[in-house]
Amino acid sequence: MESSRFYFFVFAIAILASPALSDLLLSKVDRRIYLTSHIVRISSTLKVENAGPEMVSEVLLAFPEQQAKNMAYLMATPHEGKGKVKNPVVALPVEVANPKDMPPALTFFSVSLPKGLAEGGSFTFDVLAVFTHALRPIPEQITQADIQLVLYQDSAYYLSPYAVKAQSLTVKLPDSRIESYTKLENTKIHGSEIKYGPYENLPAFSYSPIAVHFESNQPFAVAQELVREIEISHWGNVQITEHYKLIHGGAQSKGEFSRLDFQARPNVRGASAFRYLVANLPPRAHSVYYRDEIGNISTSHLRGDSKKTELLIEPRYPMFGGWRTAFTIGYGLPLQDFLYESEGKRFLNITYSSPMVELVIDTLIVKVVLPEGSSDISVAAPFHVEQWQETKISHLDIDGRPVIVLKKTNVVPEHNQYFQVYYRFNKLSMLREPLMLISGFFFFFVACIVYMRADISISKSSASYLAKHQWEEVQAVIQQVQNIISRCLAIHDKLEASLRDLYRTGDIQACKAARKAADSVLKELSRELKPLLTTLQSSPSAAQILPKVEELVAKERELQEKVMVKHSTVVDGYEKKSGARDIENRVALQQQKLTALRQEVDDLLEFIDEI
């Protein structure tokens, strides 16, 4: 508070030392300050008179430098008295002015009058000034259970470079709960209104600081950044996508948060928090969605009529002072409601700002995505914006879509006015994407037909095909050799089984019959094996594996001979009536050799099978 008083003291000295401008005077000033939300609006009705001989065509408006920094919107319009038919509002031109010999603590704007004001003439007009971040939370930090108190500072006198004959000020508050306010002469309070004045015959640059400290639990919703993308499709739709980075701009929350207390008594244990936001969408909005990084947020309600579509959204948690959230809103609009054609050019006519109610936007970026092939692009906006062009590559694009980017800072709901984007577009360009799809599917099916009907196998006369074919023949022959060897081993097993039966039954004739049958089969298998070996020996592809195959055949023949010798020895012993122990001793060494040979044959079969 002490720094504020010092600021006002220095400011008062500066303006009191400033000279008056021209012979204009303000015969009546009626000023109204609306503090019902965190956006401060000052509406002033000024009646200006020319007391000098020279023609006057403009009127200067003065604002303190600190107040001018927070100014988001300024508009002047001719005043229409009560009872008169309301005509469409035509704003008067307002520009920044730099009059000479004025202190730097003041910022001036000039309002151009509809026609020159002659001596003795008068003109009445209204001025609307909108300010953001003009309410300062006092205290700056509060707990969940505290109410939010804010401070507003201004002047009871209208600050003007002209003398003022009569003036009054009305301060409108959210409710009647006022912590404190500056009391001056002719100060009255009526419920939620504080009235100062009337004051008469005040000189130029009169200034009387006032401060109002009051309760305000209105949503201090501030979008630190909003990226709004408007994508035009000539197939009948305008798609709007809005990315919000939101913060509660009121008193910072301190201490712990209790959701139980908040849900039990939200108006007491969370009076300063806001739980929902309202967006007024165009009347025929469709395909509306609301989501954040986690996914879709179901706590939203949509209702509409012929005039508007109202979207009520709730964040995932109540927003206390300093808390942040980020989310995205998207919806579609009928193209015919916003796209028009004039003088061979098409133009988009749509609102610039956010549809959110009472939202302050620190930085607003609007991206208008035009169809690919658009040219001769221009923008008409009702206020100054930064502008540049980008390119967006989307599905089925070749060169990309031109994107007009419009950027503005310190945006308030009054900026939600219509702007236009003009461009030329050839109707034949609309056929580009369908033709690309048709061509893509056509060539795809042609490729499928060619693939199914064409012979893409390797030529039978090529070296690679012949080598592959020869190797396949070698593999087939080796498989037959393996089968024959396996059958031979099976016969060996049958002979061993006949010997076991001999030990058990003593039937020599049955054992000889098994031997005779085995000899017959083994001879047949030997005849089948000879041409196979000849084939492998004549094939160059079998050069690497042939030694192993020949070794396998040799080992099998040696094994076959050993099996026959063992079989003959055992049968002879039984015929000579030798004892069982004597027979076993005679064939023990032979059995050891048989076991080793059988293992070698099995190893060779496994090795060849792996190859």
Side-chain angles (χ1 to χ4, degrees), residues 340-519:
Y340 305 92
E341 192 167 356
S342 175
E343 298 178 357
K345 298 184 72 173
R346 302 168 188 253
F347 69 93
L348 175 73
N349 186 44
I350 199 168
T351 52
Y352 178 77
S353 186
S354 167
M356 294 288 182
V357 176
E358 292 298 281
L359 177 68
V360 172
I361 306 172
D362 291 339
T363 303
L364 173 59
I365 300 175
V366 176
K367 298 183 177 182
V368 182
V369 184
L370 301 176
E372 187 178 23
S374 301
S375 60
D376 193 11
I377 304 169
S378 60
V379 177
F383 38 76
H384 174 72
V385 293
E386 295 183 44
Q387 177 182 337
W388 66 89
Q389 186 169 332
E390 298 175 350
T391 301
K392 178 182 179 181
I393 302 296
S394 184
H395 52 276
L396 298 178
D397 288 343
I398 298 176
D399 300 324
R401 306 183 184 189
V403 180
I404 302 300
V405 184
L406 307 175
K407 180 180 179 180
K408 186 171 180 59
T409 57
N410 206 17
V411 179
V412 291
E414 281 74 11
H415 287 117
N416 201 18
Q417 303 176 26
Y418 284 91
F419 74 101
Q420 296 77 38
V421 177
Y422 295 85
Y423 63 97
R424 295 187 184 277
F425 184 78
N426 190 342
K427 293 182 179 180
L428 294 178
S429 298
M430 292 182 63
L431 301 177
R432 178 185 301 179
E433 293 183 359
L435 289 176
M436 289 177 62
L437 286 173
I438 293 171
S439 301
F441 280 110
F442 174 77
F443 288 116
F444 172 76
F445 287 121
V446 168
C448 290
I449 294 172
V450 172
Y451 175 79
M452 296 299 294
R453 294 182 176 273
D455 183 9
I456 57 175
S457 60
I458 302 174
S459 174
K460 295 182 179 180
S461 61
S462 64
S464 58
Y465 176 81
L466 293 175
K468 180 181 178 181
H469 182 67
Q470 290 175 359
W471 175 245
E472 290 176 350
E473 290 180 348
V474 169
Q475 285 181 314
V477 172
I478 292 174
Q479 185 65 43
Q480 294 180 38
V481 171
Q482 287 178 303
N483 292 337
I484 292 174
I485 297 297
S486 297
R487 290 167 64 186
C488 292
L489 294 177
I491 294 173
H492 298 170
D493 294 337
K494 289 182 179 180
L495 289 175
E496 291 288 344
S498 68
L499 292 177
R500 287 193 294 272
D501 291 340
L502 179 62
Y503 288 141
R504 182 169 50 84
T505 63
D507 189 352
I508 299 174
Q509 296 302 322
C511 188
K512 288 183 176 181
R515 166 69 179 271
K516 185 175 181 180
D519 289 340

Side-chain angles (χ1 to χ4, degrees), residues 32-272:
R32 299 164 298 281
I33 301 178
Y34 297 93
L35 304 179
T36 53
S37 76
H38 68 301
I39 302 175
V40 177
R41 294 175 173 87
I42 301 179
S43 177
S44 305
T45 301
L46 310 178
K47 183 177 182 181
V48 60
E49 294 182 0
N50 186 5
E54 297 182 0
M55 184 77 68
V56 177
S57 60
E58 64 178 23
V59 179
L60 292 179
L61 305 177
F63 295 90
E65 183 182 16
Q66 186 62 32
Q67 197 176 43
K69 288 181 179 179
N70 294 331
M71 182 184 293
Y73 183 78
L74 181 63
M75 183 178 71
T77 57
H79 178 70
E80 295 183 355
K82 296 180 180 180
K84 293 185 178 180
V85 178
K86 296 293 183 180
N87 296 319
V89 177
V90 179
L92 302 175
V94 180
E95 296 179 355
V96 178
N98 296 296
K100 296 180 180 180
D101 302 325
M102 289 292 107
L106 294 178
T107 301
F108 289 89
F109 296 88
S110 65
V111 179
S112 300
L113 302 178
K115 59 181 180 179
L117 200 61
E119 183 178 2
S122 65
F123 179 74
T124 304
F125 63 97
D126 297 324
V127 176
L128 174 62
V130 183
F131 302 91
T132 61
H133 308 292
L135 298 180
R136 189 159 59 116
I138 301 291
E140 295 182 352
Q141 293 184 344
I142 59 176
T143 64
Q144 179 181 348
D146 294 337
I147 61 173
Q148 181 173 260
L149 300 175
V150 296
L151 178 69
Y152 177 73
Q153 297 173 315
D154 208 321
S155 171
Y157 301 155
Y158 180 67
L159 180 60
S160 174
Y162 313 112
V164 182
K165 284 186 177 181
Q167 65 171 297
S168 62
L169 169 64
T170 301
V171 181
K172 178 66 176 175
L173 304 175
D175 51 49
S176 59
R177 286 173 286 189
I178 304 173
E179 192 77 7
S180 64
Y181 66 97
T182 303
K183 296 180 181 179
L184 302 175
E185 182 183 0
N186 295 339
T187 303
K188 298 178 183 179
I189 183 169
H190 297 281
S192 61
E193 291 187 354
I194 303 175
K195 294 186 178 181
Y196 291 91
Y199 303 110
E200 298 179 352
N201 299 321
L202 294 176
F205 297 109
S206 295
Y207 194 87
S208 179
I210 60 171
V212 182
H213 193 201
F214 60 98
E215 178 181 343
S216 177
N217 292 315
Q218 303 299 315
F220 276 50
V222 179
Q224 294 180 312
E225 183 183 72
L226 167 57
V227 179
R228 191 165 185 254
E229 184 175 274
I230 305 171
E231 185 169 356
I232 301 174
S233 171
H234 282 178
W235 295 100
N237 189 58
V238 177
Q239 182 63 36
I240 310 293
T241 307
E242 300 173 353
H243 305 278
Y244 290 84
K245 293 182 180 179
L246 201 69
I247 185 174
H248 188 306
Q252 299 288 308
S253 177
K254 67 177 181 180
E256 296 181 352
F257 166 67
S258 172
R259 181 171 287 277
L260 179 62
D261 291 345
F262 177 79
Q263 291 179 340
R265 295 184 296 170
N267 294 328
V268 177
R269 305 290 292 183
S272 63

Side-chain angles (χ1 to χ4, degrees), residues 471-579:
W471 175 245
E472 290 176 350
E473 290 180 348
V474 169
Q475 285 181 314
V477 172
I478 292 174
Q479 185 65 43
Q480 294 180 38
V481 171
Q482 287 178 303
N483 292 337
I484 292 174
I485 297 297
S486 297
R487 290 167 64 186
C488 292
L489 294 177
I491 294 173
H492 298 170
D493 294 337
K494 289 182 179 180
L495 289 175
E496 291 288 344
S498 68
L499 292 177
R500 287 193 294 272
D501 291 340
L502 179 62
Y503 288 141
R504 182 169 50 84
T505 63
D507 189 352
I508 299 174
Q509 296 302 322
C511 188
K512 288 183 176 181
R515 166 69 179 271
K516 185 175 181 180
D519 289 340
S520 175
V521 174
L522 289 174
K523 289 180 181 179
E524 182 65 27
L525 293 176
S526 178
R527 285 196 294 270
E528 292 180 8
L529 188 61
K530 287 182 180 179
L532 298 177
L533 291 175
T534 303
T535 302
L536 291 177
Q537 291 169 355
S538 63
S539 175
S541 300
Q544 294 182 351
I545 198 171
L546 180 60
K548 290 294 181 182
V549 174
E550 291 177 340
E551 183 181 359
L552 173 64
V553 173
K555 291 291 183 183
E556 192 280 328
R557 286 177 179 173
E558 184 179 356
L559 177 63
Q560 186 181 136
E561 293 175 358
K562 297 291 183 183
V563 169
M564 295 304 179
V565 170
K566 176 185 175 182
H567 193 275
S568 299
T569 302
V570 173
V571 172
D572 290 345
Y574 269 89
E575 287 180 341
K576 294 177 180 181
K577 308 294 184 177
S578 299

Side-chain angles (χ1 to χ4, degrees), residues 333-345:
L333 300 173
L335 183 69
Q336 62 269 24
D337 292 353
F338 300 92
L339 190 67
Y340 305 92
E341 192 167 356
S342 175
E343 298 178 357
K345 298 184 72 173

